[in-house]
Amino acid sequence: IDTIPQGKGLYRSIAQDSDTESQFSFNSEPDLRQVVLFSSPNSATCGTITCSIKFYHFAKRLAVRVGEVKLNLLETVTVSPYIKLHLIPEYKRGNRQTTKVKRNATSFICDEDFLFSVGSREVRTKALSLQIFDYKANTRHLCIGRVNINLKDFDFRDEEKPLSLKHHILPCRVNQEYFGTLKVAVCVSTESLRIGILQAENLAPVDVSGRIDPYCRVLVYIGSELLQKKKTTIADNTNSPVWEEYITMEIPPKTLLCDISIVIEVRDYLRNSKVTSYLLVGRVTLSNAALSGTGQTQWEHACAKRGTVVSEWQPVGP
């Protein structure tokens, strides 16, 4: 393993511009919302990306260097892109890595190196996925485009010469209004409020692995003032988690129930990300002013039936 080059010297011998252009397909579509930002909406691609890959048989490592990225976006659009790299179809924390965020950039050079642990026999059964995201602070990061590179199409017998590639970036094409369902229990009494986060089903993955590590963050507001916030435990590697966790909090005297709002954020926990510790999957709001009709109905039932637990499934919205 000591023979593996580290840091920015990994691919210094590779020219930044490559004449190699190829298209690869892989049967794994990202389940993400499309961002309509492109300068040519009818175009099949939204830019290009150059990268180079090299496999070390002795150390069982796949080395990837991300090079230049050019996005074909509208001139009026401002994005802060970063790239998420995966080895698919399997889901391992070590096989999910990210580049640094490039602030307000549509054309940039990453010049970052990544190592993935994979066996010599397994490497040809994998695909390398690169997803370009627009970084948004504390909200669901929007997918601009993605590239899937099928590794079975390459000959890794020559360890001395890395493979230089240039790919077209395909836009993320998914039109989705909801991102799963969440079962919530609410019990309202004279002096306290009890909220149960029971389970979720079919949570939309934030990346192409199709699996997430979800947890919920519960925020209770009185008007515009935050009363309390709590988190559930993290459910590992599942998009249909079961929590069965309850949160109890005191309601200040003379508080009107119509002023209380419960916001439940469903998040995907990222352990090894360089950008952020989580990505937002979606939200559920319970209040008199909830945008979802079901959220408003459940809150009204809970207020009308004091001391009774009201459990209902709620859609996880944006």
mmCIF file of all heavy atoms in Angstrom, residues 6 41 45 79 108 112 193 218 242 245-246:
data_model
loop_
_atom_site.group_PDB
_atom_site.id
_atom_site.type_symbol
_atom_site.label_atom_id
_atom_site.label_comp_id
_atom_site.label_asym_id
_atom_site.label_seq_id
_atom_site.Cartn_x
_atom_site.Cartn_y
_atom_site.Cartn_z
ATOM 1 N N GLN A 6 0.024 9.343 -3.226
ATOM 2 C CA GLN A 6 -1.008 10.039 -2.465
ATOM 3 C C GLN A 6 -1.052 11.497 -2.873
ATOM 4 O O GLN A 6 -0.088 12.056 -3.373
ATOM 5 C CB GLN A 6 -0.715 9.940 -0.960
ATOM 6 C CG GLN A 6 -0.676 8.513 -0.446
ATOM 7 C CD GLN A 6 -2.049 7.874 -0.462
ATOM 8 O OE1 GLN A 6 -3.054 8.556 -0.409
ATOM 9 N NE2 GLN A 6 -2.075 6.565 -0.531
ATOM 10 N N PRO A 41 -32.132 23.641 -23.183
ATOM 11 C CA PRO A 41 -33.029 22.702 -22.512
ATOM 12 C C PRO A 41 -33.283 21.427 -23.298
ATOM 13 O O PRO A 41 -33.545 20.389 -22.718
ATOM 14 C CB PRO A 41 -34.317 23.532 -22.360
ATOM 15 C CG PRO A 41 -33.881 24.950 -22.456
ATOM 16 C CD PRO A 41 -32.732 24.957 -23.386
ATOM 17 N N THR A 45 -27.246 16.621 -23.086
ATOM 18 C CA THR A 45 -26.205 16.737 -22.070
ATOM 19 C C THR A 45 -26.233 18.139 -21.469
ATOM 20 O O THR A 45 -26.778 19.076 -22.052
ATOM 21 C CB THR A 45 -24.808 16.471 -22.674
ATOM 22 O OG1 THR A 45 -24.492 17.499 -23.606
ATOM 23 C CG2 THR A 45 -24.775 15.117 -23.372
ATOM 24 N N VAL A 79 -24.511 28.792 -9.411
ATOM 25 C CA VAL A 79 -24.468 27.525 -8.688
ATOM 26 C C VAL A 79 -23.145 27.397 -7.956
ATOM 27 O O VAL A 79 -22.144 28.032 -8.316
ATOM 28 C CB VAL A 79 -24.660 26.311 -9.637
ATOM 29 C CG1 VAL A 79 -26.036 26.310 -10.261
ATOM 30 C CG2 VAL A 79 -23.588 26.298 -10.726
ATOM 31 N N PHE A 108 -14.748 24.734 -13.902
ATOM 32 C CA PHE A 108 -13.738 24.689 -12.852
ATOM 33 C C PHE A 108 -12.910 23.427 -12.989
ATOM 34 O O PHE A 108 -13.291 22.484 -13.690
ATOM 35 C CB PHE A 108 -14.385 24.746 -11.465
ATOM 36 C CG PHE A 108 -15.406 23.663 -11.222
ATOM 37 C CD1 PHE A 108 -15.056 22.465 -10.617
ATOM 38 C CD2 PHE A 108 -16.724 23.845 -11.612
ATOM 39 C CE1 PHE A 108 -15.985 21.472 -10.402
ATOM 40 C CE2 PHE A 108 -17.667 22.847 -11.395
ATOM 41 C CZ PHE A 108 -17.300 21.662 -10.790
ATOM 42 N N GLU A 112 -8.647 16.837 -7.686
ATOM 43 C CA GLU A 112 -8.705 16.102 -6.425
ATOM 44 C C GLU A 112 -8.632 14.600 -6.686
ATOM 45 O O GLU A 112 -9.145 14.099 -7.687
ATOM 46 C CB GLU A 112 -9.996 16.431 -5.667
ATOM 47 C CG GLU A 112 -10.085 17.876 -5.224
ATOM 48 C CD GLU A 112 -11.313 18.138 -4.370
ATOM 49 O OE1 GLU A 112 -11.595 17.311 -3.463
ATOM 50 O OE2 GLU A 112 -12.010 19.143 -4.609
ATOM 51 N N LEU A 193 -46.902 18.333 24.975
ATOM 52 C CA LEU A 193 -47.086 17.862 23.602
ATOM 53 C C LEU A 193 -46.185 16.659 23.386
ATOM 54 O O LEU A 193 -44.986 16.720 23.668
ATOM 55 C CB LEU A 193 -46.721 18.984 22.614
ATOM 56 C CG LEU A 193 -46.719 18.640 21.122
ATOM 57 C CD1 LEU A 193 -48.127 18.270 20.660
ATOM 58 C CD2 LEU A 193 -46.177 19.811 20.311
ATOM 59 N N VAL A 218 -36.890 17.052 14.655
ATOM 60 C CA VAL A 218 -38.204 17.598 14.982
ATOM 61 C C VAL A 218 -38.026 18.996 15.557
ATOM 62 O O VAL A 218 -37.277 19.200 16.516
ATOM 63 C CB VAL A 218 -38.946 16.698 15.987
ATOM 64 C CG1 VAL A 218 -40.338 17.255 16.288
ATOM 65 C CG2 VAL A 218 -39.053 15.272 15.453
ATOM 66 N N VAL A 242 -37.659 2.096 10.674
ATOM 67 C CA VAL A 242 -38.619 2.023 11.781
ATOM 68 C C VAL A 242 -37.928 2.612 13.009
ATOM 69 O O VAL A 242 -36.893 2.113 13.450
ATOM 70 C CB VAL A 242 -39.065 0.581 12.057
ATOM 71 C CG1 VAL A 242 -40.005 0.540 13.258
ATOM 72 C CG2 VAL A 242 -39.755 -0.017 10.833
ATOM 73 N N GLU A 245 -39.949 6.177 18.097
ATOM 74 C CA GLU A 245 -39.395 7.059 19.122
ATOM 75 C C GLU A 245 -40.358 8.203 19.410
ATOM 76 O O GLU A 245 -40.998 8.735 18.493
ATOM 77 C CB GLU A 245 -38.033 7.609 18.677
ATOM 78 C CG GLU A 245 -36.982 6.522 18.464
ATOM 79 C CD GLU A 245 -35.634 7.095 18.081
ATOM 80 O OE1 GLU A 245 -35.380 8.291 18.374
ATOM 81 O OE2 GLU A 245 -34.820 6.348 17.490
ATOM 82 N N TYR A 246 -40.442 8.578 20.710
ATOM 83 C CA TYR A 246 -41.383 9.618 21.129
ATOM 84 C C TYR A 246 -40.619 10.766 21.791
ATOM 85 O O TYR A 246 -39.622 10.564 22.482
ATOM 86 C CB TYR A 246 -42.416 9.061 22.100
ATOM 87 C CG TYR A 246 -43.428 8.143 21.440
ATOM 88 C CD1 TYR A 246 -43.160 6.787 21.260
ATOM 89 C CD2 TYR A 246 -44.655 8.638 21.001
ATOM 90 C CE1 TYR A 246 -44.085 5.942 20.657
ATOM 91 C CE2 TYR A 246 -45.589 7.807 20.396
ATOM 92 C CZ TYR A 246 -45.294 6.467 20.225
ATOM 93 O OH TYR A 246 -46.204 5.635 19.630
#
